[in-house]
Amino acid sequence: MAALLRVSGVKKPYSAIPKRASCPRPVWSHPRLIFSVSVAPVYGLRTSLKGSCRAPYLRISCEAGKVGIRHGAESQGSEEIANELTHVMKFGGSSVASADRMREVANLILRFREERPVIVLSAMGKTTNKLLIAGEKAVCCGVSYVSDLEELAFVKDLHLRTVDELGVERSTISKHLFELEQLLNGIAMMKELTPRTKDYLASFGECMATRIFAAYLNKIGVKARQYDAFDIGFITTDEFTNADILEATYPAVAKRLHGDWINDPAIPIVTGFLGKGWRTSAVTTLGRGGSDLTATTIGKALGLEEIQVWKDVDGVLTCDPNIYPRAEPVPYLTFDEAAELAYFGSQVLHPQSMRPAREGDIPVRVKNSYNPKAPGTLITRVRDMSQAVLTSIVLKRNVTMLDIVSTRMLGQFGFLAKVFSIFEELEISVDVVATSEVSISLTLDPSKLWSRELIQQELDHVVEELEKIAVVNLLQHRSIISLIGNVQRSSLILEKAFHVLRTNGVNVQMISQGASKVNISLIVNDSEAEQCVRALHTAFFESDISELVSGPKSGNGSI
Ligand SMILES: Nc1ncnc2c1ncn2[C@@H]1O[C@H](COP(=O)(O)OP(=O)(O)O)[C@@H](O)[C@H]1O
Ligand SMILES: N[C@@H](CC(=O)OP(=O)(O)O)C(=O)O
């Protein structure tokens, strides 16, 4: 009999748990939702409730543990629970940009030792950018000039200086530095840099950072083990430079990390950003900023208690601090708000990173590695929105807008379908849409693959196709200002936003309120956008809007 008990969502009474049951095979489903009472040797599950705590999925273990303890298995069961991995901590490039920063991060990890974290690291500082620029330059510089490339020198110098300063053997990374130069020589020889090669090239950053860091932890007596994500089950699509994580990743990663941890506990240090294409078996990358996605994927795979994403800012802020330095941390967000914010261009989180966290219902905490005391931002499935108005303002620049007015199909059905089928055929993704019976206004993602600009030729082609059924007006250099917040208060948000924009003499060219109920998008000219964001920020976050909100004082709410 397969004995499964859903322990999250609807809590079943303890009596509902079968006292003895057998399970024909290891249980794999959503790690936190299913609790196996019985044998699954491959994951190290025990045969009965007594001590049935060694599942790779910690949240189950905790729930199971409560049961186990009540069953009288205190000593063994509870101890095993206490020894599981419970957190994932991701440190971005800014957090590990130098030897000093690596020391700081090591200290931080030691403070979280009780949580037995899995660590995900990005490449040091700006290494990824430097590697990609070196690749571009190698295409045309000729083999004999590769060793003179300043970006290669920068990467070599940064990593060698870091190992020296940390007192780690140079041999930790010497093979990688040698292969990196070989690869650039190959690019120079072929005069070609394919997306596949780009991903392989970029992977050197994460591979070296994790090796250095793991070696340093071991040197200071903290047992750590380095992992390349592409070797431990991160299976992705073969869409180089923007690969997507495939389902098979979750059980594979859980099995490997958990198995190693159980056999020989050592803090896992995993490369962010990287995967392995399922058809090609080549190294892939998850799109820029993809280490956030690595972290949330591990969180879901292991059913961890918390995913921490450590950055160089005090959490998700009310707007991009580069646009407006007075931006403030947002204490609470929902997964939906965070996903919308990331998708609409906020650099702080990878656009896909909320998906695994939401699916696993695992809280994500965004923290500042330069200021660990700051509370950061807690992202959860739901939060109290009763007092929330606006959460954050996001700007996406350099957007192309299309105004499409039906000609022949005036008043006929199928117009929208026809328009969108053209975009589908041309594989162009659309961001914001506003429609009437005979016209559509929409914006096109400026970097539909994050890495690639929509080139003019492509745009001409879209217009040419659309002109077969409509009059098309192509408007470039536009920006999307996304107002992320409580769209239950959309009238208040719009009233205030339009007042601000009118006062600043700005004409909104398109407006869209998504069904997701967390986002209102306004399209304005690029040249006016930053000024708008600053003015909106002042109006919503630096002045008292409580008199406009019914009930007690407005704010970001709580969870
Ligand atoms: N709304 C926002 N909240 C916080 N940071 C933002 C926001 N919009 C843009 N940023 C930028 O994102 C940066 C953090 O993201 P990122 O550089 O990817 O961090 P890391 O490399 O540490 O993972 C911040 O330094 C900040 O400049
Ligand atoms: N190093 C990769 C992946 C990444 O996530 O970086 P960061 O965490 O520093 O944004 C990049 O620069 O895109």
Side-chain angles (χ1 to χ4, degrees), residues 302-356:
L302 289 165
L304 301 184
E305 283 172 19
E306 184 168 295
I307 297 161
Q308 296 182 351
V309 182
W310 291 79
K311 308 253 165 194
D312 60 350
V313 278
D314 281 349
V316 176
L317 306 179
T318 44
C319 79
D320 183 344
N322 301 302
I323 297 175
Y324 194 57
R326 294 223 293 262
E328 296 213 340
V330 178
Y332 303 104
L333 280 174
T334 62
F335 291 131
D336 288 345
E337 287 175 302
E340 205 80 351
L341 200 127
Y343 182 73
F344 277 95
S346 178
Q347 192 204 329
V348 68
L349 291 168
H350 181 278
Q352 302 298 330
S353 59
M354 286 304 112
R355 196 163 27 110

Side-chain angles (χ1 to χ4, degrees), residues 296 306-309 335 349 353-354 357 362-366 377-380:
T296 54
E306 184 168 295
I307 297 161
Q308 296 182 351
V309 182
F335 291 131
L349 291 168
S353 59
M354 286 304 112
I362 302 171
V364 177
R365 213 178 274 277
V366 183
T377 300
L378 180 61
I379 309 171
T380 47

Side-chain angles (χ1 to χ4, degrees), residues 236-241 243-244 246 276-282 284:
T236 70
T237 57
D238 291 283
E239 223 181 305
F240 293 105
T241 75
D244 213 356
L246 297 178
K276 183 185 206 166
W278 76 282
R279 280 181 200 278
T280 56
S281 294
T284 54

Side-chain angles (χ1 to χ4, degrees), residues 360-547:
D361 196 8
I362 302 171
V364 177
R365 213 178 274 277
V366 183
K367 295 273 292 174
N368 189 352
S369 70
Y370 289 77
N371 182 20
K373 287 203 177 105
T377 300
L378 180 61
I379 309 171
T380 47
R381 191 172 54 80
V382 284
R383 69 181 180 98
D384 173 13
M385 296 293 281
S386 61
Q387 300 308 312
V389 181
L390 203 66
T391 307
S392 190
I393 304 169
V394 185
L395 176 59
K396 195 169 191 172
R397 298 183 185 82
N398 194 21
V399 164
T400 296
M401 182 173 155
L402 283 174
D403 237 346
I404 307 161
V405 182
S406 169
T407 47
R408 279 178 291 162
M409 298 181 85
L410 190 85
Q412 289 178 25
F413 60 85
F415 174 58
L416 292 180
K418 183 75 190 147
V419 169
F420 283 103
S421 71
I422 292 172
F423 288 110
E424 191 190 357
E425 269 163 41
L426 300 175
E427 293 183 2
I428 290 178
S429 59
V430 170
D431 267 351
V432 181
V433 186
T435 65
S436 76
E437 198 187 346
V438 294
S439 75
I440 312 177
S441 298
L442 47 80
T443 63
L444 305 180
D445 190 338
S447 51
K448 61 178 182 171
L449 294 179
W450 277 86
S451 52
R452 190 154 72 96
E453 294 281 300
L454 257 182
I455 49 174
Q456 191 60 43
Q457 220 180 348
E458 225 171 328
L459 283 175
D460 292 345
H461 193 172
V462 182
V463 173
E464 200 180 299
E465 285 300 305
L466 289 169
E467 278 179 340
K468 292 177 184 165
I469 56 162
V471 173
V472 183
N473 206 357
L474 179 84
L475 306 155
Q476 287 181 285
H477 309 299
R478 300 298 190 267
S479 285
I480 304 174
I481 296 176
S482 296
L483 305 175
I484 314 286
N486 186 356
V487 183
Q488 299 299 332
R489 294 229 160 92
S490 60
S491 303
L492 167 62
I493 295 173
L494 285 170
E495 178 193 327
K496 199 154 180 75
F498 277 99
H499 175 72
V500 170
L501 296 174
R502 188 174 58 81
T503 315
N504 282 268
V506 174
N507 230 359
V508 175
Q509 299 171 26
M510 180 179 152
I511 169 167
S512 165
Q513 180 179 328
S516 65
K517 300 276 185 276
V518 296
N519 180 7
I520 297 172
S521 293
L522 310 169
I523 317 299
V524 300
N525 283 334
D526 262 344
S527 56
E528 299 165 321
E530 290 202 3
Q531 166 213 344
C532 289
V533 171
R534 286 190 283 267
L536 287 166
H537 193 281
T538 307
F540 278 101
F541 297 110
E542 294 164 63
S543 53
D544 188 12
I545 55 170
S546 57
E547 77 274 11

Side-chain angles (χ1 to χ4, degrees), residues 101-118:
R101 290 302 310 156
M102 286 208 179
R103 278 195 206 98
E104 287 280 326
V105 167
N107 287 336
L108 253 174
I109 291 169
L110 290 180
R111 274 194 248 160
F112 279 88
R113 217 169 170 180
E114 290 292 296
E115 275 75 32
R116 292 164 304 282
V118 178

